[in-house]
Amino acid sequence: MANSRTRNATRNMMFGTLLKIYQMIVPFLMRTVMIYFMGVQYVGLNSLFTSILQVLNLAELGVGSAMVYSMYKPIAEEDTATICALMRLYKIYYRIIGCVIAVAGLLATPLIPLFVKGSIPENLDLHILYLLNLAATVFSYWLFAYKNSLLMAHQRTDVTSKISLAINTVQFLTQFLMIYVFRNYYLYLIVAIVSQITNNIITSIIVSKMYPDYYPKGKLDANTVGSINGRIKDLFIAKFGGVVLNSADTIVISAFLGLTLLAVYQNYYFVMSSVCGIMEILLTSITAGLGNSYITESKEKNYTDLKKITFMFFWLIGMCTSCFLGIFQPFMRLWVGEKFLMGFSVVVCLCVYFYLYETTRLLNVFKNAGGIWHEDRFRPLISAIVNLALNLISVNYIGIYGIVLSTIVALAVIEIPWLLQNIFTVMYDTSLFKDYFKMFVSWIIATVFSGVIIAVLTYKVTFSGWGAFAFFVVVSVLIPNIVFLLLMHKTEEFKLSISMVNRITHNKLPIIKNL
């Protein structure tokens, strides 16, 4: 079982990361084409509609995670009847969710102009653009979306990645033509809708062939349904806050500062969120395995996994944070030019935001795998309220800084401490918290030390262009790895991580093997 979990997680990471890299490069090219051929305001509109639809997706919050979690045990026990009944329930819920989003979205249509300050590109109708985006969201729920639960619960998200690679290739090529040849934003959105429909249908066909014994039929007993609904309720409260936290910034920037500044901010955020997407693949790949482990393994084994996985992830996000600090400005100069450059102090704030956000997501993986949603249900809600309140208060005084700093405060003061408290009072022995917290702080210190070195270098280096970019790529990768290796090479979690990497690679990496 443990070998199967590792193998599935490794496969999911490989294909998921490949997809995410693809989804970083090609949308980046599409964004560039849109900026140069249609204008920066179109990019701002894309970001705004994405955030608004994230809020409308509140109807789904909790259903997917709760249903996948409910499948862990019957899959481990090979209980086909229960899995089929869960699929039927999932199908019903998603049909209802699609209807709720459609109705709520239509009712919200007259309010859309309120979220845009200033002018929009000529010959565009905000309401039509919004309805096209809404249609893509609704179709994603109505067309066999429930079947994805089988892939997620079986740790086979690599299948989803392969399908997306094929569909996205056709989608992006067609959208490029819509922009380059026709300069038509409406056609650009229609292609996205058709691609979403095609993706769902193909996924449904493949899942049916992979798992022919599983199809939506049967009923669950009242107690099981009640338990699932309880998890959904707890998850809804929790994820509601998460959506508000992530969407509020974009909507507030658009409403108070305008589409142009939103687009400039989103250029930075696009790069950062692309890396976040790769991190998400890594985290999603291990979630089902952790969920299975919490059911079948001892607390001691699970705590060892906690130390090992968080250490490896903190090393990775520490390196990414350092890279953002060094590379952001040289990259933006090459990509969009000086006129779309933000101050270095904003870059520092974004790096701190990225580090805290990824820390929160990592801790959430352990929380979700352990199913402790009830105890954690109010944390994201309180965090979102604080973030939104600080956004609305500070945006008129310090502009974009107020937006980013509000999120940093919510993550550092509410999200991370609360998550750690819940994890170590429910899932692990509270006496272990002191040991874990010491490691936690040491990893943060290592990242801060690396960041300070790179920040100093940004003031010392005077050359620009591709030379500066290449220099900071090398430096930003080397410095955090050297710092972490020097400070952590004798720790237990480092040795556990090396052992895990050697097992996954079958000792085929001599550099890792000899550490």
Side-chain angles (χ1 to χ4, degrees):
M1 181 69 72
N3 289 334
S4 176
R5 287 196 298 265
T6 302
R7 184 174 63 252
N8 287 337
T10 304
R11 178 169 51 196
N12 291 340
M13 287 180 188
M14 287 174 56
F15 284 101
T17 303
L18 177 63
L19 173 64
K20 223 31 156 175
I21 292 173
Y22 176 89
Q23 290 178 336
M24 285 171 59
I25 296 173
V26 179
F28 167 77
L29 295 175
M30 292 294 300
R31 190 180 185 92
T32 304
V33 169
M34 189 172 287
I35 289 173
Y36 283 98
F37 287 95
M38 297 187 72
V40 72
Q41 286 187 318
Y42 286 89
V43 176
L45 282 172
N46 261 348
S47 302
L48 174 63
F49 287 131
T50 298
S51 296
I52 292 173
L53 291 171
Q54 281 180 344
V55 175
L56 287 177
N57 271 322
L58 288 172
E60 190 276 341
L61 295 184
V63 174
S65 298
M67 296 305 293
V68 171
Y69 178 81
S70 299
M71 286 184 175
Y72 290 154
K73 185 175 180 180
I75 286 175
E77 297 175 350
E78 298 183 359
D79 185 352
T80 302
T82 299
I83 295 171
C84 290
L86 284 167
M87 286 184 65
R88 178 179 177 272
L89 184 64
Y90 199 9
K91 178 180 179 180
I92 292 171
Y93 282 175
Y94 261 27
R95 293 285 169 82
I96 295 172
I97 288 166
C99 292
V100 170
I101 292 175
V103 172
L106 290 172
L107 291 175
T109 303
L111 303 176
I112 297 304
L114 298 177
F115 298 115
V116 179
K117 180 180 181 180
S119 62
I120 64 170
E122 294 182 2
N123 303 319
L124 286 183
D125 188 306
L126 270 179
H127 296 102
I128 295 176
L129 294 175
Y130 166 72
L131 290 173
L132 286 172
N133 279 279
L134 178 64
T137 302
V138 172
F139 282 130
S140 71
Y141 288 108
W142 282 349
L143 294 173
F144 314 110
Y146 65 93
K147 290 191 177 182
N148 274 324
S149 62
L150 286 175
L151 295 176
M152 295 176 67
H154 281 89
Q155 279 188 284
R156 289 306 310 272
T157 53
D158 62 294
V159 175
T160 306
S161 299
K162 294 171 186 176
I163 297 170
S164 296
L165 275 170
I167 299 297
N168 286 351
T169 299
V170 177
Q171 174 186 337
F172 291 137
L173 286 174
T174 309
Q175 286 182 317
F176 173 78
L177 290 175
M178 298 303 105
I179 294 175
Y180 184 74
V181 178
F182 299 105
R183 305 288 202 276
N184 194 306
Y185 190 60
Y186 292 114
L187 293 177
Y188 173 90
L189 293 176
I190 290 171
V191 171
I193 297 174
V194 174
S195 299
Q196 179 65 64
I197 293 172
T198 305
N199 193 312
N200 282 31
I201 292 173
I202 293 176
T203 301
S204 172
I205 293 171
I206 291 176
V207 170
S208 296
K209 289 182 178 180
M210 289 179 64
Y211 306 104
D213 295 332
Y214 299 150
Y215 45 91
K217 72 167 188 175
K219 291 186 177 181
L220 299 166
D221 61 85
N223 288 335
T224 302
V225 174
S227 177
I228 292 172
N229 289 339
R231 290 194 196 105
I232 291 173
K233 181 182 70 175
D234 293 338
L235 276 166
F236 177 85
I237 296 172
K239 291 196 172 185
F240 172 83
V243 167
V244 174
L245 182 69
N246 294 327
S247 302
D249 291 357
T250 297
I251 296 174
V252 171
I253 292 172
S254 176
F256 287 85
L257 303 176
L259 287 176
T260 300
L261 183 56
L262 173 62
V264 174
Y265 170 79
Q266 284 290 328
N267 285 340
Y268 286 82
Y269 190 81
F270 173 80
V271 177
M272 193 169 69
S273 62
S274 297
V275 177
C276 288
I278 294 180
M279 300 295 188
E280 183 179 1
I281 292 297
L282 302 180
L283 294 175
T284 301
S285 299
I286 65 174
T287 302
L290 287 172
N292 181 276
S293 180
Y294 283 125
I295 294 172
T296 60
E297 305 286 358
S298 66
K299 280 191 174 183
E300 291 75 17
K301 165 67 167 57
N302 288 321
Y303 178 65
T304 298
D305 288 343
L306 173 72
K307 292 196 297 182
K308 176 173 57 181
I309 292 171
T310 50
F311 170 74
M312 295 174 70
F313 198 77
F314 265 78
W315 188 317
L316 183 59
I317 63 173
M319 184 179 69
C320 290
T321 302
S322 299
C323 287
F324 284 140
L325 197 61
I327 295 172
F328 252 147
Q329 297 299 68
F331 175 74
M332 288 298 168
R333 285 191 179 94
L334 292 171
W335 179 27
V336 293
E338 290 283 345
K339 65 178 180 178
F340 294 129
L341 210 63
M342 303 187 85
F344 184 72
S345 53
V346 178
V347 172
V348 173
C349 291
L350 286 172
C351 289
V352 175
Y353 163 69
F354 169 81
Y355 191 86
L356 296 175
Y357 176 71
E358 287 302 323
T359 300
T360 302
R361 288 213 302 176
L362 173 64
L363 296 176
N364 264 308
V365 166
F366 291 98
K367 180 210 74 177
N368 291 336
I372 58 169
W373 299 306
H374 183 73
E375 296 83 355
D376 194 61
R377 63 193 184 281
F378 292 119
R379 169 191 53 83
L381 183 60
I382 300 300
S383 177
I385 292 172
V386 169
N387 177 56
L388 183 57
L390 291 176
N391 271 346
L392 295 174
I393 293 170
S394 61
V395 68
N396 288 316
Y397 295 99
I398 52 177
I400 198 71
Y401 291 96
I403 302 296
V404 184
L405 290 174
S406 298
T407 310
I408 289 173
V409 170
L411 292 170
V413 177
I414 299 172
E415 292 272 335
I416 294 174
W418 201 327
L419 270 169
L420 287 171
Q421 169 72 14
N422 286 337
I423 289 173
F424 278 92
T425 53
V426 180
M427 297 171 61
Y428 302 104
D429 190 334
T430 53
S431 63
L432 297 171
F433 176 71
K434 185 176 181 181
D435 170 65
Y436 182 80
F437 188 70
K438 286 180 180 178
M439 294 184 291
F440 194 87
V441 172
S442 70
W443 303 330
I444 295 175
I445 291 173
T447 301
V448 171
F449 185 63
S450 302
V452 169
I453 295 174
I454 293 171
V456 170
L457 284 174
T458 60
Y459 286 100
K460 297 293 183 180
V461 174
T462 56
F463 56 93
S464 59
W466 286 103
F469 178 70
F471 171 79
F472 277 109
V473 167
V474 174
V475 167
S476 300
V477 171
L478 286 179
I479 288 177
N481 281 294
I482 292 171
V483 170
F484 264 84
L485 187 60
L486 290 175
L487 296 180
M488 307 293 174
H489 71 282
K490 292 184 179 180
T491 62
E492 178 190 3
E493 57 271 19
F494 178 83
K495 296 173 183 176
L496 289 169
S497 301
I498 294 299
S499 175
M500 180 178 178
V501 172
N502 284 332
R503 187 170 69 251
I504 292 173
T505 59
H506 304 290
N507 295 314
K508 291 181 180 179
L509 296 177
I511 295 177
I512 300 295
K513 182 179 178 181
N514 296 324
L515 286 175

